[in-house]
Amino acid sequence: MLLTREMDYALRILRALYLDGQLSAAAIAEKEHMPKAVTLKILKRLHAAGLVSSRRGPNGGYLIQRPCEELSLGDLFLALGDPIFVNRCQRPGYQCENRRPDSCGMCRELSRIQKALDGELRKTPLSAMFQEL
């Protein structure tokens, strides 16, 4: 399983804002070696999710809205509407076409793995991920 490029860009944008504070979209794109158009697209999604705010004007730019100490990778996936499921049977409301979920050994094991994955995605705050050594 890989992070999508969009999720990678979102992480890089948040890292730039975490490390440098308020930045313009152009400054973020340059700092993170990302296309400006893509940077603007992801910033729009992060803004809609309430993770960043924007200020207009010559001293404007983007700021992190929620502290990275309180956000995890799992929170970012949910905010951008890209939750990770190990299998379709882990999606809410899924009806197993073969068996009842409580009697299906595959569903039980995949549920165990899903819970572990969800725990790991929520374990580390983004601020710890963004720390430079």
Side-chain angles (χ1 to χ4, degrees), residues 48-95:
L51 298 179
V52 301
S53 60
S54 62
R55 292 186 182 157
R56 293 179 182 237
N59 295 322
Y62 291 87
L63 293 158
I64 291 180
Q65 188 68 26
R66 291 183 52 199
C68 288
E69 292 77 14
E70 298 173 8
L71 290 171
S72 67
L73 199 52
D75 295 324
L76 185 57
F77 276 109
L78 288 177
L80 295 179
D82 296 329
I84 293 179
F85 295 107
V86 295
N87 193 335
R88 62 188 173 139
C89 68
Q90 299 308 302
R91 292 186 182 277
Y94 178 80
Q95 295 295 317

Side-chain angles (χ1 to χ4, degrees), residues 20-115:
D20 293 335
Q22 182 176 307
L23 292 170
S24 68
I28 295 168
E30 182 178 331
K31 178 179 176 62
E32 293 294 332
H33 310 287
M34 297 168 25
K36 186 176 176 190
V38 172
T39 303
L40 286 166
K41 176 184 169 192
I42 303 300
L43 280 165
K44 186 175 181 178
R45 289 192 67 197
L46 291 169
H47 186 271
L51 298 179
V52 301
S53 60
S54 62
R55 292 186 182 157
R56 293 179 182 237
N59 295 322
Y62 291 87
L63 293 158
I64 291 180
Q65 188 68 26
R66 291 183 52 199
C68 288
E69 292 77 14
E70 298 173 8
L71 290 171
S72 67
L73 199 52
D75 295 324
L76 185 57
F77 276 109
L78 288 177
L80 295 179
D82 296 329
I84 293 179
F85 295 107
V86 295
N87 193 335
R88 62 188 173 139
C89 68
Q90 299 308 302
R91 292 186 182 277
Y94 178 80
Q95 295 295 317
C96 183
E97 59 271 332
N98 296 318
R99 296 180 173 80
R100 294 187 336 256
D102 57 336
S103 68
C104 177
M106 289 189 306
C107 284
R108 275 195 315 275
E109 181 60 10
L110 292 173
S111 290
R112 183 194 68 75
I113 293 167
Q114 185 71 51
K115 286 178 188 171

